[in-house]
Amino acid sequence: MNKNRLSTKQTAKLLGLPEQTLRVFIQHGKFTEFATAVKQEGSKHYTYYINAPRLYEYLKIKEPVQTAI
């Protein structure tokens, strides 16, 4: 995975949220500072784009935090 993107699992862990809650928040426009959800055409599924550097800035983290997956 691109080092500038994070998974919803990694991001949820950093934010202290359940992963599904994070997905719903992103779908409804919360966390636009670092994330967006794009609904796939003709589907009920979304693709999530989470920008790692922007998330670290949002959380005021200077160094990337290593997270176990």
Side-chain angles (χ1 to χ4, degrees):
M1 185 174 272
N2 185 329
K3 68 180 179 177
N4 287 324
R5 285 181 63 184
L6 292 175
S7 68
T8 54
K9 185 174 185 173
Q10 292 169 307
T11 304
K13 185 173 182 178
L14 287 170
L15 293 171
L17 294 171
E19 190 175 354
Q20 185 59 34
T21 299
L22 174 65
R23 286 189 190 118
V24 171
F25 282 174
I26 295 171
Q27 288 171 20
H28 287 93
K30 190 168 173 108
F31 300 132
T32 57
E33 299 87 351
F34 58 82
T36 188
V38 177
K39 190 169 184 183
Q40 297 175 13
E41 190 174 328
S43 174
K44 62 181 181 177
H45 298 283
Y46 287 82
T47 299
Y48 300 91
Y49 295 95
I50 301 168
N51 183 292
R54 289 183 185 173
L55 173 62
Y56 299 142
E57 183 178 320
Y58 177 84
L59 294 174
K60 297 178 178 28
I61 298 172
K62 293 184 182 187
E63 300 276 331
V65 175
Q66 296 293 340
T67 57
I69 297 179

